[in-house]
Amino acid sequence: MQFIDKSLEDYCRDMSSKPPEYLMELDRETHLKVLSPNMLSGYLQGRVLSMISKLVRPSKVVEIGTYTGYSALCFAEGLAENGEGHTIEVNDELEPMIRKYFEKSPFGDVIHLHIGDATEVIKNLPAPFDLVFIDAGKQDYPLYFDLVIDKLAKGGIILADNVLWSGKVIEEKRDEDTEALVVFNDKVRKDPRVEVVMLPIRDGISVIRKL
């Protein structure tokens, strides 16, 4: 589903600052070699993630769902001095590509890749987290929120991707992924510990701030 006219979306992209060359190369290689390249954050959304990170200036970023590493590299652009990123990916077949582009970037020493079950990795990461990106299995979104909220610093930010799920969240007939996202979106909206705004960028991003 196209949420904004493509020509307008292209205009927004063209009027935005360009990503670094290593990200453009990663975008190209992902589309050539990896299944479901639409999962990549990509140009415009990547610049949004980078800008949010630069505004927050996080000391610790935690990303749930690395894919090929594009968004982790975007978040790294805004890390505070001596900050670090932790990104979690369940698919070990993606590890060589992820590490290749981390090493091409200026952030190879400050992004830590964890291959495995996010629920276990999160439990072992020391708090506080300043910025969290949820972009993994949709049915686990409510669980991921519960796992990170108490580790999130006051004023910290959770970003949740794909919260519109191609518009399926407003349809009456829902599959399991859609139903989980509807539950997640409602859970966040009703949680008194946070405030949230849902942005119709690509497939929807919720910006959730801990009070």
Side-chain angles (χ1 to χ4, degrees), residues 67 89 91-102 113 115:
Y67 191 48
E89 176 55 46
N91 184 357
D92 59 3
E93 293 182 356
L94 294 173
E95 183 174 359
M97 183 182 289
I98 295 167
R99 292 198 183 280
K100 171 184 173 180
Y101 282 95
F102 285 1
L113 174 63
I115 301 293

Side-chain angles (χ1 to χ4, degrees), residues 58-75:
S59 292
K60 183 174 288 183
V61 175
V62 175
E63 176 183 58
I64 307 169
T66 312
Y67 191 48
T68 56
Y70 193 102
S71 50
L73 287 165
C74 292
F75 288 121

Side-chain angles (χ1 to χ4, degrees), residues 161-193:
D161 200 14
N162 305 117
V163 290
L164 295 178
W165 207 227
S166 299
K168 295 177 185 177
V169 291
I170 59 172
E171 295 176 357
E172 291 186 11
K173 188 175 181 180
R174 301 167 182 161
D175 58 25
E176 291 182 353
D177 285 343
T178 307
E179 185 60 37
L181 286 167
V182 169
V183 169
F184 170 78
N185 291 338
D186 195 51
K187 175 187 180 75
V188 170
R189 182 180 61 85
K190 292 177 178 177
D191 194 311
R193 296 171 293 180

Side-chain angles (χ1 to χ4, degrees), residues 2 11 17 39 44 69 77 80 104 139 148 177:
Q2 188 76 33
Y11 179 78
S17 300
M39 291 170 57
L44 186 59
E77 294 176 34
K104 277 180 177 258
Q139 294 179 40
V148 302
D177 285 343

Side-chain angles (χ1 to χ4, degrees), residues 11-205:
Y11 179 78
C12 291
R13 181 198 64 201
D14 293 343
M15 293 299 107
S16 299
S17 300
K18 288 185 177 181
E21 179 56 37
Y22 58 83
L23 282 179
M24 297 174 75
E25 185 180 340
L26 173 54
D27 189 319
R28 290 191 293 269
E29 185 169 349
T30 300
H31 279 81
L32 284 171
K33 298 181 179 179
V34 184
L35 292 174
S36 304
N38 60 306
M39 291 170 57
L40 193 81
S41 289
Y43 195 125
L44 186 59
Q45 181 173 316
R47 291 304 86 203
V48 172
L49 301 181
S50 171
M51 183 66 76
I52 291 174
S53 185
K54 288 168 182 172
L55 292 170
V56 174
R57 297 294 290 165
S59 292
K60 183 174 288 183
V61 175
V62 175
E63 176 183 58
I64 307 169
T66 312
Y67 191 48
T68 56
Y70 193 102
S71 50
L73 287 165
C74 292
F75 288 121
E77 294 176 34
L79 282 171
E81 187 175 359
N82 299 319
E84 60 182 16
H86 293 268
T87 184
I88 308 165
E89 176 55 46
V90 71
N91 184 357
D92 59 3
E93 293 182 356
L94 294 173
E95 183 174 359
M97 183 182 289
I98 295 167
R99 292 198 183 280
K100 171 184 173 180
Y101 282 95
F102 285 1
E103 291 168 8
K104 277 180 177 258
S105 79
F107 308 111
D109 293 336
V110 296
I111 308 177
H112 307 288
L113 174 63
H114 304 267
I115 301 293
D117 182 347
T119 59
E120 295 303 317
V121 175
I122 292 166
K123 291 174 185 176
N124 293 317
L125 289 177
F129 307 158
D130 303 298
L131 181 58
V132 175
F133 188 42
I134 302 177
D135 188 19
K138 308 313 164 193
Q139 294 179 40
D140 289 324
Y141 269 37
L143 172 60
Y144 294 144
F145 178 82
D146 289 337
L147 287 172
V148 302
I149 188 63
D150 288 334
K151 289 192 166 192
L152 191 68
K154 183 178 180 180
I157 300 292
I158 299 172
L159 301 173
D161 200 14
N162 305 117
V163 290
L164 295 178
W165 207 227
S166 299
K168 295 177 185 177
V169 291
I170 59 172
E171 295 176 357
E172 291 186 11
K173 188 175 181 180
R174 301 167 182 161
D175 58 25
E176 291 182 353
D177 285 343
T178 307
E179 185 60 37
L181 286 167
V182 169
V183 169
F184 170 78
N185 291 338
D186 195 51
K187 175 187 180 75
V188 170
R189 182 180 61 85
K190 292 177 178 177
D191 194 311
R193 296 171 293 180
V194 301
E195 60 179 344
V196 58
V197 59
M198 185 180 289
L199 305 175
I201 297 171
R202 283 193 72 213
D203 201 19
I205 301 176

